[in-house]
Amino acid sequence: MPEIQKSLPKGVVIKPYYEPTELVNKTIHTAVKKLVEGCLLVIVFVFLFLLQLRAGLIVSSVIPLSMLFAVIGMNYLSITASLMSLG
C-alpha cells in the first residue's frame, strides 16, 4: 500500500474499506474456546459414566492428544486455522 500511495496524485489517499483481521481473530478465539469447553465437558461425562479414575484418564487422554496431533498436522501441511478446517 505505501508503494501504491506514492504513485497516486497529491491529495488522493487509499483507505481500506474492509479489514477482516479483527473478525478473523475473534472467530479463531471463539473456535478454540468452544473446542476446549467441549473437550472438558466430554472428559467430565467420561468420568461420570465410567466411575473409574484409571479408565477415565485413559479414555480422556485421547481428546487432547488428538487435538494436539491435528494442530501439528495443520502446521506441517500449512493449513490455516479457519472454521472449516477446525470443524
Side-chain angles (χ1 to χ4, degrees), residues 15-57:
K15 292 184 181 180
Y17 178 72
Y18 175 67
E19 182 59 42
T21 306
E22 184 179 344
L23 176 64
V24 170
N25 288 337
K26 285 183 179 181
T27 303
I28 290 173
H29 175 72
T30 301
V32 169
K33 181 180 173 187
K34 296 303 176 188
L35 283 171
V36 170
E37 288 175 356
C39 177
L40 293 174
L41 190 62
V42 167
I43 289 171
V44 167
F45 276 104
V46 164
F47 280 117
L48 288 176
F49 284 117
L50 292 178
L51 296 175
Q52 291 183 352
L53 183 63
R54 185 175 169 198
L57 286 174

